[in-house]
């Protein structure tokens, strides 16, 4: 790439208010696959005194005409991705007509055809691929939309309320929509297609009846009830927990097959990736059910946190995403298991987010510099953003946090605001000083905490000395305000009431300086400290507890999360010890015994038991090392798993046999299947006809969770059954691409050295399609993220496979290419041979003539 072509970065510090406001926009779409005509009429009002030009954004548009107040206008010029209009009066109606080609738009951004239906994706900057506009979130307009299309597209949808519809000549018809709420262009949506519809209603707590409609491809109606139920639960939960009621009279969700992300919160007309909507017991796993509920919730919750109050600029993305992820996490936790949800969220943080934060794409939750905005829909902005909201919730408590939310909406409803505005509302409503806390918004990297303990036996005083260290890659960071939650356990496992010199001490310690001591008195024996209870802050606590202490915590901590966390620590230490001392690679007796006890008592939360039986993932273990010892992590984990399977084979068999799955999606049935799945995972490692029988039976189940448990167990164990079971699955499910994604993912996990060739052959499979992000992620995403041994082959063929794919995707769908690139971002963390092979792939990309901005930004950062 030549220097002149180098894409430009945009900076938060350069923010300038818009020169014009758009009071209203009238949009007309005359839909046709290769030539869709878009006519827009903008009611403009100048906001600045000077006679500044109006600079509109536009990409890949063919301009047909410009008018001002109904007259042809010529005082404009087309520049690179801009239309610059000069000498406009202070108020006017600007008419623009342009053409676009939805059929050839494979970027899945703007207006495109997805499996025979027209649909849009405008966040962050896709609207400029539809028409020239002030495509920025702080320009809020009311929208009137007219859609004209062939009558075969039976449903013509846009935001808000339908005002009119009717027949036209030449087999065409139209619909007119009006959205009474002003919105930025990124929330615009249009859909035209032939769908089956599931309809329902929801009555709000003020008694308004809302029409709900779920649009899916013909024939998919039987897979819609779960999403509809999830929507109604979301609406009810937001009223109960946040006192927020829906505002329009209609709420629509459309499921499409080609979609870059999970879903999009367009006002009144959410567009979803079909995999985040469609489910029934035969085709979807329990995890799919959970994901659907949480994403339906997420998009619904955006109606207030995102739509009614939106972002001033895209650097503020976490304003809506961090907050909305926090809200969807709370929704899932209130409806299901809080501990399991917390475990899932923390896994995402400790693996993906920590590694992003330690790598070349590290950015604060409010980034300061962006080339391609689509690259910043990250685990940092979303998940760390949610952790930052959660910390405020911990500091304020539920009541004051809700008062903060109320104040936020009182102040900012209908506005486009900043993260500072949000924190100000929280702080003003609670009278809690969040000045230092705000550094979380501007500092990248994961803070490290070194904790030392001291027990004075004579005085009965226990002291924790907490030192805060800047992240390794961000040495200039200043001290953060960290809510550090703890529990102290006595030798009997009882929780100790915290106090010092007669005063109670909160279990949430306010760590604010570089070094701080916290003392607790009145003790009769040295306590065991549970640190960073519930992961109260997104930090790394450097190794602290001994094995004995961890076993104590596993048994007695009040937080289920912290018990699981202690268990993970135990495993991690065992793996690390085995790596440093390869002669001794057997799991210790206390660990095996702890697992045996877990399998023995089947009274508690079975889903939690299932989690406790899992070894830490490769990514979790990798995070412990500066240079990732790929081969040893794989071989030791493998050996440990076999040891567990062999030692506890009978226990797994007994446990499996005792678990009765009633086939429903009740919490207890889901938990039962989770535990059965982990039993199969271990049992598949043992060659035995009775076990083969169990696996075959599970694979023949009519419940997808059971089927997939069996298949993934045999594939991961390289069990000889896998060939036949995979073949059966293919012939059974070939008609259902979403189910086939599970099969592609299983194929990608195969252990043999021919894994790469198998994947290349699967590119030819009738269900595979490079232009569909779901397919690509299922096959190659699963390979690069989870088939560690084959992806990280020493001969570099795994990297080459991904490199080849990225070159192909760069031309088809840069956004998807950029997401798929992620495994290469941490190339520096591998041994010499591997890192240079990964680097070579990045260099290959850097040389591409048509390298997209999306890939450029990441490749450039990675190679710096
Ligand atoms: N706002 C959407 C959500 O969080 C995601 C949109 C992502 N857009 C993008 N260009 N990456 O649900
Ligand atoms: Zn979101």
């Amino acid at each position: 790439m030549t220097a002149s072509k180098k894409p430009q970065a945009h900076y938060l510090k350069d923010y300038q208010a818009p020169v014009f406001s758009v009071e209203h926009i009238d949009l007309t779409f005359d839909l046709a696959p290769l030539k869709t005509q878009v006519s827009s009429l903008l009611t403009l009002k100048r906001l600045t005194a000077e006679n500044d030009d109006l600079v509109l954004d536009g990409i890949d548009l063919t301009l047909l005409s410009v008018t001002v107040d109904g007259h042809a206008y010529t005082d404009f010029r087309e520049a690179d991705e801009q239309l610059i209009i000069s000498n406009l009066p202070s108020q006017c109606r600007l008419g623009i007509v342009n053409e676009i080609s939805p059929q050839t738009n494979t970027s899945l951004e703007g207006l495109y055809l997805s499996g025979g239906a027209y649909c849009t994706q405008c966040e962050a900057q896709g609207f400029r691929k539809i028409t020239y506009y002030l495509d920025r979130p702080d320009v809020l307009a009311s929208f009137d939309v007219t859609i004209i299309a062939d009558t075969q597209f039976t449903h013509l949808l846009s935001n808000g309320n339908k005002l009119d519809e009717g027949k036209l000549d030449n087999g065409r018809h139209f619909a007119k929509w009006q959205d009474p709420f002003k919105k930025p262009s990124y929330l615009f949506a249009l859909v035209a297609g032939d769908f089956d519809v599931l309809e329902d209603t929801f009555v709000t707590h003020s008694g308004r009846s809302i029409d709900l409609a779920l649009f899916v491809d013909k024939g998919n109606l039987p897979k819609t009830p779960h999403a509809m139920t999830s929507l109604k639960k979301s609406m009810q939960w937001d009223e109960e927990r946040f006192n927020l009621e829906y505002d329009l009279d209609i709420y629509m969700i459309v499921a499409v097959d080609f979609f870059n992300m999970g879903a999009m919160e367009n006002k009144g007309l959410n567009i979803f990736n079909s995999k985040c909507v469609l489910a029934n017991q035969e085709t979807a796993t329990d995890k799919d059910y959970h994901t659907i509920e949480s994403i339906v919730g997420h998009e619904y919750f955006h109606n207030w946190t995102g739509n009614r109050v939106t972002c001033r600029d895209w650097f503020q993305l976490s304003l809506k995403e961090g907050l909305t992820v926090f809200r969807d996490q709370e929704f899932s936790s209130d409806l299901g298991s809080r501990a399991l949800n917390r475990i899932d969220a923390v896994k995402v943080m400790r693996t993906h987010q920590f590694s992003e934060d330690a790598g070349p794409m590290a950015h604060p939750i409010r980034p300061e510099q962006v080339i391609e905005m689509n690259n910043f829909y990250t685990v940092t902005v979303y998940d760390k953003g949610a952790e930052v909201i959660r910390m405020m919730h911990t500091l304020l408590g539920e009541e004051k946090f809700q008062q903060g939310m109320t104040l936020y909406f009182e102040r900012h409803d209908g506005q486009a605001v900043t993260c500072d505005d949000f924190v100000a509302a929280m702080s003003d409503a609670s009278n809690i000083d969040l000045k230092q806390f705000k550094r979380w918004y501007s500092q990248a990297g994961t803070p490290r905490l070194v904790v030392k303990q001291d027990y004075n036996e004579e005085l009965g005083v226990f002291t924790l000395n907490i030192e805060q260290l800047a992240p390794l890659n961000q040495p200039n960071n200043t001290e953060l305000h960290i809510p550090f939650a703890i529990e102290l356990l006595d030798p009997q496992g009882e929780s100790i009431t915290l106090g010092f010199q007669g005063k109670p001490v909160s279990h949430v310690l306010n760590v604010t300086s570089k070094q701080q001591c916290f003392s607790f008195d009145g003790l009769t024996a040295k306590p065991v400290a549970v640190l960073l209870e519930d992961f109260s802050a997104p930090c790394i606590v450097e190794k602290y507890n001994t094995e004995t202490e961890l076993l104590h915590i596993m048994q007695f901590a009040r937080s289920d999360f912290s018990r699981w966390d202690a268990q993970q620590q135990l495993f991690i230490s065992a793996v690390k010890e085995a790596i440093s001392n390869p002669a001794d690679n057997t799991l210790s007796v206390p660990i095996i015994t702890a697992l045996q006890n877990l399998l023995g008592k089947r009274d508690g939360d079975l889903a939690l038991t299932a989690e406790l039986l899992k070894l830490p993932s490769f990514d979790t273990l990798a995070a412990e090392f500066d240079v990732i010892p790929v081969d040893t992590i794989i071989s030791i984990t493998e050996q440990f798993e076999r040891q567990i399977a062999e030692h506890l084979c009978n226990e797994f068999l007994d446990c499996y046999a005792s678990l009765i799955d009633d086939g429903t999606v009740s919490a207890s049935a889901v938990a039962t299947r989770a535990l059965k799945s982990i039993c199969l995972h271990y049992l598949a490692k043992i060659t035995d006809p009775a076990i083969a029988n169990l696996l075959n039976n599970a694979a023949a189940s009519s419940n997808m969770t059971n089927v997939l448990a069996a298949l993934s167990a045999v594939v991961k164990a390289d069990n000889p059954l896998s060939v036949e079971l995979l073949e059966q699955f293919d012939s059974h499910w070939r008609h259902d691409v979403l189910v086939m994604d599970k099969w592609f993912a299983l194929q990608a996990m195969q252990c043999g050295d021919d894994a790469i060739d198998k994947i290349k052959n699967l590119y030819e499979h009738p269900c595979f399609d490079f232009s569909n992000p779901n397919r690509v992620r299922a096959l190659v995403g699963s390979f690069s993220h989870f088939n560690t041994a084959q992806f990280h082959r020493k001969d570099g063929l795994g990297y080459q496979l991904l490199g080849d794919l990225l070159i192909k995707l760069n031309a088809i769908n840069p956004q998807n290419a950029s997401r798929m690139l992620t495994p290469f971002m941490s190339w520096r963390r591998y041994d010499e041979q591997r890192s240079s092979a990964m680097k070579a792939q990045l260099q290959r990309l850097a040389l591409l003539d048509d390298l997209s901005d999306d890939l450029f930004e990441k490749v450039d950062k990675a190679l710096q």
Side-chain angles (χ1 to χ4, degrees):
M1 170 155 303
T2 57
S4 64
K5 264 177 70 190
K6 205 176 145 159
Q8 286 302 301
H10 302 275
Y11 298 88
L12 167 61
K13 65 176 168 44
D14 293 342
Y15 173 81
Q16 283 191 323
V19 172
F20 280 86
S21 68
V22 182
E23 305 287 296
H24 180 75
I25 172 168
D26 257 306
L27 273 172
T28 301
F29 290 83
D30 203 342
L31 292 172
L34 294 170
K35 265 188 187 173
T36 285
Q37 186 166 309
V38 185
S39 313
S40 95
L41 191 57
L42 309 178
T43 308
L44 294 174
K45 208 163 156 183
R46 185 179 289 283
L47 298 174
T48 53
E50 313 88 81
N51 192 20
D52 293 324
D53 290 342
L54 171 66
V55 182
L56 301 177
D57 309 292
I59 297 182
D60 294 340
L61 308 175
T62 309
L63 181 64
L64 298 183
S65 71
V66 178
T67 58
V68 171
D69 294 326
H71 303 291
Y73 196 77
T74 52
D75 197 356
F76 67 85
R77 63 183 199 278
E78 286 179 84
D80 185 29
E81 305 188 343
Q82 286 180 338
L83 179 66
I84 302 164
I85 309 180
S86 304
N87 298 309
L88 284 174
S90 60
Q91 293 201 17
C92 64
R93 303 252 274 171
L94 173 68
I96 294 174
V97 182
N98 66 275
E99 253 171 28
I100 50 178
S101 168
Q103 184 170 304
T104 50
N105 179 1
T106 57
S107 68
L108 313 188
E109 192 182 47
L111 176 67
Y112 61 94
L113 272 165
S114 162
Y118 291 92
C119 72
T120 54
Q121 171 55 35
C122 292
E123 186 178 5
Q125 299 174 325
F127 194 75
R128 62 189 64 185
K129 290 184 157 189
I130 294 175
T131 185
Y132 286 106
Y133 196 69
L134 284 166
D135 191 13
R136 44 187 288 168
D138 58 351
V139 171
L140 307 184
S142 53
F143 279 64
D144 274 19
V145 177
T146 304
I147 308 168
I148 302 165
D150 287 347
T151 47
Q152 75 193 70
F153 299 93
T154 49
H155 295 95
L156 307 179
L157 312 173
S158 191
N159 317 84
N161 304 309
K162 200 196 279 179
L163 293 185
D164 194 10
E165 61 190 326
K167 282 238 173 310
L168 299 167
D169 295 338
N170 307 326
R172 309 276 283 171
H173 66 156
F174 78 94
K176 277 182 189 292
W177 291 82
Q178 182 171 64
D179 184 356
F181 291 93
K182 289 195 158 203
K183 65 170 176 292
S185 49
Y186 84 87
L187 289 173
F188 165 79
L190 174 153
V191 173
D194 188 22
F195 302 111
D196 276 344
V197 194
L198 177 70
E199 289 178 311
D200 210 327
T201 53
F202 178 82
V203 179
T204 69
H205 74 167
S206 73
R208 292 168 43 244
S209 177
I210 316 290
D211 292 332
L212 311 177
L214 194 48
F215 299 82
V216 294
D217 279 349
K218 292 267 173 201
N220 276 335
L221 223 39
K223 293 185 181 176
T224 51
H226 176 62
M228 184 59 88
T229 307
S230 302
L231 175 59
K232 292 197 281 184
K233 284 181 180 170
S234 309
M235 297 179 88
Q236 188 174 349
W237 179 86
D238 216 11
E239 291 184 350
E240 285 168 2
R241 175 91 186 257
F242 277 78
N243 195 28
L244 295 171
E245 187 175 314
Y246 187 59
D247 47 13
L248 286 161
D249 298 330
I250 174 169
Y251 194 92
M252 297 175 282
I253 291 178
V254 184
V256 301
D257 288 331
F258 288 70
F259 205 72
N260 274 331
M261 328 272 305
M264 179 63 212
E265 70 265 22
N266 317 300
K267 184 79 188 186
L269 177 57
N270 289 180
I271 299 181
F272 270 61
N273 187 322
S274 54
K275 78 161 194 252
C276 302
V277 172
L278 303 174
N280 63 33
Q281 286 287 286
E282 289 84 61
T283 62
T285 62
D286 295 331
K287 189 162 171 282
D288 296 328
Y289 271 72
H290 183 266
T291 307
I292 290 168
E293 182 181 88
S294 118
I295 297 187
V296 168
H298 180 97
E299 306 313 330
Y300 176 73
F301 304 141
H302 267 314
N303 190 54
W304 279 94
T305 51
N307 301 3
R308 288 289 287 254
V309 182
T310 195
C311 304
R312 185 194 72 172
D313 54 74
W314 289 120
F315 300 101
Q316 318 292 333
L317 180 61
S318 204
L319 172 81
K320 73 177 179 79
E321 294 304 346
L323 178 55
T324 304
V325 171
F326 171 77
R327 275 154 52 68
D328 84 51
Q329 288 175 350
E330 284 300 294
F331 168 62
S332 297
S333 304
D334 283 347
L335 265 60
S337 155
R338 184 160 286 274
L340 265 285
N341 278 291
R342 194 62 192 135
I343 289 170
D344 283 347
V346 174
K347 280 185 185 167
V348 171
M349 286 301 296
R350 286 197 178 139
T351 55
H352 307 137
Q353 202 282 324
F354 282 10
S355 108
E356 180 167 271
D357 236 353
M361 268 294 282
H363 52 277
I365 63 166
R366 183 183 55 209
E368 277 153 24
Q369 173 182 351
V370 164
I371 291 178
E372 171 51 62
M373 189 54 213
N374 287 329
N375 280 335
F376 288 82
Y377 287 74
T378 57
V379 273
T380 298
V381 167
Y382 275 63
D383 298 85
K384 187 177 181 181
E387 292 300 324
V388 170
I389 302 288
R390 183 170 298 283
M391 287 191 283
M392 280 189 266
H393 185 270
T394 302
L395 291 170
L396 272 65
E398 170 73 4
E399 198 179 330
K400 286 183 174 158
F401 183 87
Q402 291 298 347
Q403 287 164 5
M405 290 298 298
T406 304
L407 184 61
Y408 175 64
F409 291 122
E410 264 169 35
R411 284 181 179 171
H412 301 299
D413 188 15
Q415 299 176 5
V417 304
T418 64
C419 298
D420 289 339
D421 294 320
F422 180 82
V423 180
M426 283 292 154
S427 163
D428 292 348
S430 64
N431 265 317
I432 290 176
D433 183 355
L434 296 172
K435 200 156 167 287
Q436 184 186 359
F437 182 83
K438 271 172 68 173
R439 291 179 188 164
W440 281 104
Y441 282 90
S442 54
Q443 297 194 155
T446 310
R448 293 168 301 142
L449 299 170
V450 181
V451 184
K452 295 198 181 97
Q453 56 173 322
D454 177 69
Y455 181 62
N456 185 321
E457 190 137 18
E458 238 162 85
L459 300 175
V461 174
F462 181 71
T463 302
L464 286 173
N465 180 309
I466 305 181
E467 190 185 358
Q468 204 184 131
L469 302 176
L472 292 169
N473 60 337
Q474 311 284 339
N476 298 325
N477 278 9
T478 51
E479 290 80 44
L480 291 161
H481 180 178
I482 296 171
F484 190 85
I486 60 162
E487 181 188 25
L488 297 186
L489 296 168
D490 73 13
Q492 286 70 46
E494 291 295 321
S495 196
I496 296 167
T497 310
L498 306 182
F500 189 61
Q501 296 180 343
K503 288 197 194 105
V505 175
S506 158
H507 81 287
V508 181
L509 311 176
N510 281 295
V511 174
T512 52
S513 35
K514 181 144 178 54
Q515 267 250 21
Q516 250 168 299
C517 281
F518 299 88
S519 294
F520 312 91
D521 61 10
L523 304 175
T524 50
K526 184 178 179 226
V528 171
V530 180
L531 302 175
L532 205 68
E533 191 184 33
D534 284 334
F535 193 70
S536 62
C539 299
I540 294 168
V541 180
E542 311 243 300
K543 184 175 154 47
Y544 166 82
N545 295 111
T546 62
E547 177 168 323
T548 324
E549 286 176 334
L550 289 171
L551 287 163
H552 196 73
I553 295 172
M554 264 181 69
Q555 208 176 347
F556 297 114
R558 66 183 161 203
S559 153
D560 286 340
F561 168 83
S562 291
R563 292 173 45 221
W564 167 82
D565 198 21
Q567 166 96 328
Q568 291 280 297
Q569 284 306 318
L570 264 184
F571 279 133
I572 290 171
S573 311
V575 172
K576 283 172 106 173
E577 240 157 70
I579 286 177
S580 62
N581 184 9
D584 180 25
N585 55 11
T586 42
L587 267 178
S588 76
V589 175
I591 297 189
I592 301 272
T593 312
L595 297 178
Q596 189 168 25
N597 290 339
L598 274 170
L599 278 167
K601 60 170 177 49
R602 266 159 254 137
D603 41 4
D605 178 350
L606 300 185
L608 184 63
T609 306
E611 274 308 315
L612 288 167
L613 287 165
K614 289 182 195 164
L615 290 191
S617 67
F618 179 89
D619 287 340
T620 306
L621 294 165
E624 298 286 318
F625 300 90
D626 294 331
V627 177
I628 301 169
V630 176
D631 308 300
T632 34
I633 292 183
I634 295 173
S635 73
I636 298 216
T637 315
E638 171 67 27
Q639 288 170 44
F640 281 2
E641 289 206 328
R642 286 199 187 268
Q643 285 166 30
I644 295 171
E646 277 155 22
H647 275 97
L648 303 176
C649 180
N650 289 328
E651 283 83 351
F652 281 118
L653 283 169
D654 286 349
C655 180
Y656 190 84
S658 75
L659 294 168
I660 312 294
D661 163 15
D662 66 10
T664 67
V665 278
S666 69
S668 72
V670 169
T672 301
R673 286 192 289 273
L675 188 50
K676 286 178 80 167
S677 301
I678 193 77
C679 291
L680 289 185
H681 174 80
Y682 284 107
L683 288 170
K685 296 177 188 300
I686 294 169
T687 322
D688 174 279
I691 292 173
N693 206 23
L694 285 187
L695 289 162
N696 275 318
N697 284 341
S701 156
S702 57
N703 177 290
M704 185 51 82
T705 304
N706 294 333
V707 175
L708 222 59
L711 267 92
S712 114
V714 295
V715 168
K716 286 181 188 157
D718 206 7
N719 184 306
L721 283 176
S722 59
V723 179
E724 193 187 320
L725 292 182
L726 283 170
E727 265 168 29
Q728 280 171 15
F729 192 99
D730 182 16
S731 55
H732 192 114
W733 288 111
R734 211 174 259 215
H735 60 281
D736 188 327
V737 279
L738 284 181
V739 179
M740 285 305 284
D741 281 345
K742 301 179 191 308
W743 182 82
F744 282 123
L746 288 167
Q747 289 284 354
M749 296 301 300
Q750 296 198 71
C751 310
D753 266 339
D754 53 351
I756 308 268
D757 290 331
K758 282 192 180 156
I759 292 182
K760 287 187 187 155
N761 287 336
L762 287 169
Y763 286 164
E764 311 298 326
H765 191 281
C767 293
F768 192 77
D769 179 354
F770 284 104
S771 64
N772 187 302
N774 291 352
R775 295 306 91 73
V776 172
R777 282 182 217 162
L779 184 61
V780 191
S782 309
F783 172 72
S784 65
H785 282 105
F786 304 116
N787 194 344
T788 328
Q790 288 298 316
F791 177 62
H792 292 292
R793 288 159 69 110
K794 281 224 154 106
D795 60 14
L797 287 180
Y799 305 146
Q800 179 154 0
L801 181 91
L802 183 59
D804 291 345
L805 176 85
L806 293 174
I807 290 174
K808 198 170 175 111
L809 289 184
N810 176 57
I812 301 175
N813 183 338
Q815 230 183 98
N816 194 29
S818 184
R819 300 216 138 207
M820 295 291 298
L821 175 81
T822 306
F824 284 157
M825 293 306 283
S826 44
W827 65 276
R828 282 179 208 274
R829 297 199 41 227
Y830 294 85
D831 54 80
E832 169 58 33
Q833 191 178 352
R834 290 187 168 98
S835 71
S836 58
M838 289 167 113
K839 184 181 181 191
Q841 294 302 326
L842 288 164
Q843 287 168 328
R844 236 179 118 200
L845 292 167
L847 290 174
L848 288 184
D849 275 338
D850 60 344
L851 188 65
S852 57
D853 288 5
D854 311 58
L855 281 181
F856 170 84
E857 181 167 38
K858 287 195 179 178
V859 169
D860 187 56
K861 282 219 175 92
L863 291 175
Q864 263 166 32

